[in-house]
Amino acid sequence: MILDVPEQVRKTVIADGNESWLDELPGMVDSLAQEWSLTIGSSLAGGHVALVVEATLDDGTPAVLKIGVPGRDIGPEATLLRLADGEGCAELLGEDMDRQALLLERLGAPMYDIVADPVSRHSLLCDVAVRLWRPIGPDIDLPTGAHLAEQYAHRLPGLWEQAGRPCSPATVADALACMDRRRRAHDDRSAVLVHGDIHELNALQASDGSYKLIDPAGLRAEPACDLGTIVRCNPDLGDDLRARTERLASRTGVDATAIWEWGTIYRVFSGVYACSIGFQPFGELLLAEADRLTA
């Protein structure tokens, strides 16, 4: 089988020293296609931590086959999709954790391509997030928001050096302070099921005209953890990010300070990480805004 592996996926795998996985990939896809009775179609671009290809079930149902790159544990995503059961997220049709593979409902175009007005997009993203959120106890094996904040705090300084210090020291310090506060704010009693990476390209149109999310990180966290990514994304729109935060808080009833701090965390960490793997201009845009806010 000949596969068209998107360049960003290839770069991620090579940067992590896992080039041999690229050689094994065609055989893996062929094996999964046989086991799940799939016809494999074109590769889909956009991400960098998984190969995603169009697939069709033997009954004609359109689907998507997703295989995580080495080092990318797809287990939390599978857990979230099982719990969501198609509400707010793409439906899970099959899974193979040994090969880090998921078979998913195929959705339509991203919200970014359909809804022109950014404020309307942000409101729709709030609505789809609320559909997903549900109480979730500590017995469910998902990482917490506290764990995520701690993990980011541990990785950020090294990534910043590796990427050539692409933002100011003050911006890094601000993000680290936010990470510490959100880590300490985690409370198992009020945690909900959280997507972890909500933005206009991760919300695709379903057959009924509504939107569903794809590529969930899968977390047990405070709702602000999701809304922070809406504050992070597309900082070049020119709107006031503080005002955007207040609108999100008003629409969902979630604390504005918590939303802002998660937005800061995502903006800086995502920007530095993107610069470290050459994912541009995304990284530069995020960090230019982060530096402006801490100047």
Side-chain angles (χ1 to χ4, degrees), residues 146 179-188 190 222 258 261:
M179 291 170 191
D180 182 60
R181 286 191 290 271
R182 295 335 305 163
R183 176 186 61 79
R184 290 186 283 109
H186 177 80
D187 187 342
D188 278 338
S190 56
E222 57 184 341
E261 291 185 345

Side-chain angles (χ1 to χ4, degrees), residues 139-266:
D139 56 310
I140 300 298
D141 185 22
L142 283 176
T144 65
H147 174 77
L148 179 67
E150 186 175 10
Q151 181 184 54
Y152 279 2
H154 177 72
R155 293 183 61 194
L156 180 59
L159 273 178
W160 181 65
E161 294 284 357
Q162 177 186 328
R165 301 186 174 188
C167 61
S168 73
T171 292
V172 173
D174 184 37
L176 289 171
C178 289
M179 291 170 191
D180 182 60
R181 286 191 290 271
R182 295 335 305 163
R183 176 186 61 79
R184 290 186 283 109
H186 177 80
D187 187 342
D188 278 338
R189 296 168 298 180
S190 56
V192 298
L193 186 64
V194 162
H195 180 280
D197 193 19
I198 293 180
H199 56 77
E200 298 101 321
L201 294 175
N202 266 355
L204 308 186
Q205 193 167 48
S207 57
D208 63 0
S210 67
Y211 290 91
K212 290 187 175 185
L213 297 165
I214 60 168
D215 296 341
L219 296 167
R220 182 164 51 85
E222 57 184 341
C225 182
D226 262 349
L227 299 179
T229 57
I230 304 176
V231 177
R232 172 207 71 181
C233 66
N234 295 334
D236 56 327
L237 289 176
D239 65 326
D240 184 328
L241 290 182
R242 289 282 186 184
R244 190 192 299 186
T245 300
E246 293 295 336
R247 287 197 303 271
L248 299 180
S250 176
R251 191 172 186 90
T252 61
V254 175
D255 178 65
T257 298
I259 297 172
W260 180 261
E261 291 185 345
W262 276 110
T264 299
I265 291 168
Y266 288 128

